[in-house]
């Protein structure tokens, strides 16, 4: 199967919503992780990524303009004590962390959750878990074609990918009203990441100028465990 050009894919889609990219650098030495958020409302756009001890969190750029923090303030990325890296588009990051601390797995955690209660969009919850060896899992919890009475849970588990390849999942299929959920399997993409900053800048440039909000990139060396990160915020 031909690898998708990730930056082209993003530049052709004005509103993929929130997205997770997991994969491997071309030299096969590092795992590659990216997470971005976009927004169409003032409340969604009023955010920045802020580094924390174990990853990142979202916070309001202008506290006076924050109207509803319930679905937009969370920890998208957390490095867990056992070396797993959890990346999600909501507070299910903490659900995964807590379940793993109790001896369960990410599937157990996500089977307790559903899509976001923001009808009529019913935004999917997308999640990724990267293991210390670079293998990873992706998942999406979404409504059944907009039917809020049924949650569909899909799990995708990948052994170590080929060098320079990865997978990309995002929340919305198209920029419509209401927003249709992502369809199909995670897209198989080429990872053009020599270092965290340059990859972040390339991804950021490909996101729609009006709708993009924040982007986080991490590369971690599979042998040494050294981690290199980059954050880009529209408002900072």
């Amino acid at each position: 199967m031909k690898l998708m050009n990730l930056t082209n894919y993003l530049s052709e889609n004005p509103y993929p919503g929130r997205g997770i990219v997991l994969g491997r650098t071309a030299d096969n030495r590092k795992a590659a992780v990216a997470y971005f958020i976009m927004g169409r409302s003032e409340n969604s756009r009023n955010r920045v990524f802020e580094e924390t001890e174990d990853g990142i969190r979202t916070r309001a750029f202008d506290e006076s303009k924050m109207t509803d923090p319930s679905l937009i303030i969370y920890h998208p990325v957390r490095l867990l004590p056992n070396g797993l890296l959890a990346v999600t588009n909501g507070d299910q990051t903490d659900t995964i962390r807590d379940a793993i601390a109790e001896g369960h797995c990410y599937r157990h955690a996500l089977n307790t959750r559903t899509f976001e209660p923001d009808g009529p969009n019913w935004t999917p919850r997308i999640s990724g878990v990267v293991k210390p060896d670079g293998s990873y899992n992706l998942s999406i919890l979404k409504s059944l074609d907009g039917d809020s009475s049924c949650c569909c849970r899909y799990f995708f588990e990948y052994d170590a990918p080929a060098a320079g390849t990865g997978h990309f999942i995002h929340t919305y299929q198209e920029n419509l009203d209401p927003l249709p959920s992502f369809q199909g399997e995670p897209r198989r993409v080429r990872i053009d990441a020599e270092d965290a900053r340059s990859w972040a800048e390339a991804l950021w440039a490909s996101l729609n100028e009006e709708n993009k909000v924040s982007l986080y990139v991490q590369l971690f060396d599979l042998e040494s465990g050294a981690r290199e990160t980059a954050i880009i915020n529209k408002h900072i």
Side-chain angles (χ1 to χ4, degrees):
M1 180 184 295
K2 185 178 180 180
L3 291 176
M4 181 178 292
N5 184 302
L6 179 57
T7 54
N8 286 349
Y9 180 83
L10 291 173
S11 65
E12 293 167 1
N13 187 340
Y15 196 60
R18 287 166 274 176
I20 298 171
V21 184
L22 303 178
R24 188 70 63 85
T25 57
D27 62 9
N28 213 28
R29 293 176 51 200
K30 299 176 183 178
V33 178
Y35 176 67
F36 65 80
I37 59 175
M38 306 181 80
R40 299 194 301 182
S41 68
E42 182 180 42
N43 196 45
S44 291
R45 291 176 176 177
N46 181 36
R47 289 183 289 173
V48 294
F49 285 166
E50 182 175 75
E51 198 164 9
T52 65
E53 186 175 321
D54 63 353
I56 57 170
R57 68 169 185 158
T58 61
R59 68 168 176 84
F61 173 66
D62 184 341
E63 294 286 352
S64 68
K65 294 182 179 179
M66 178 62 66
T67 57
D68 179 8
S70 61
L71 295 176
I72 63 173
I73 301 300
Y74 56 94
H75 288 79
V77 178
R78 285 191 185 276
L79 179 61
L80 308 185
N82 59 0
L84 295 179
L85 186 74
V87 186
T88 89
N89 72 326
D91 63 8
Q92 71 267 27
T93 315
D94 295 347
T95 307
I96 293 171
R97 176 200 59 186
D98 295 344
I100 289 175
E102 295 170 359
H104 302 297
C105 67
Y106 87 105
R107 278 189 179 227
H108 175 94
L110 293 174
N111 277 323
T112 70
R113 303 301 303 268
T114 183
F115 45 82
E116 295 183 356
D118 63 340
N121 295 320
W122 310 117
T123 298
R125 291 190 186 273
I126 55 173
S127 305
V129 174
V130 186
K131 302 171 187 177
D133 66 358
S135 60
Y136 52 84
N137 306 323
L138 284 166
S139 71
I140 184 168
L141 316 180
K142 63 181 183 177
S143 68
L144 181 61
D145 296 326
D147 179 358
S148 62
S149 67
C150 180
C151 179
C152 305
R153 297 178 177 87
Y154 300 91
F155 299 93
F156 307 93
E157 302 185 353
Y158 302 95
D159 293 334
T165 69
H167 291 85
F168 171 48
I169 195 168
H170 54 96
T171 51
Y172 305 127
Q173 187 73 12
E174 295 181 79
N175 187 26
L176 302 174
D177 285 305
L179 288 159
S181 296
F182 177 90
Q183 297 291 322
E185 294 185 17
R187 312 299 186 234
R188 190 163 177 254
V189 297
R190 187 171 70 245
I191 303 293
D192 296 315
E194 294 184 6
D195 60 82
R197 174 53 58 177
S198 63
W199 191 38
E201 290 174 351
L203 294 176
W204 184 253
S206 68
L207 294 171
N208 179 270
E209 182 64 30
E210 182 179 4
N211 295 323
K212 63 186 178 183
V213 176
S214 295
L215 169 72
Y216 172 85
V217 158
Q218 179 182 130
L219 303 181
F220 72 87
D221 191 290
L222 297 169
E223 183 174 345
S224 70
R227 295 177 185 268
E228 176 190 1
T229 64
I231 295 174
I232 302 178
N233 290 304
K234 188 171 186 177
H235 293 304
I236 296 178

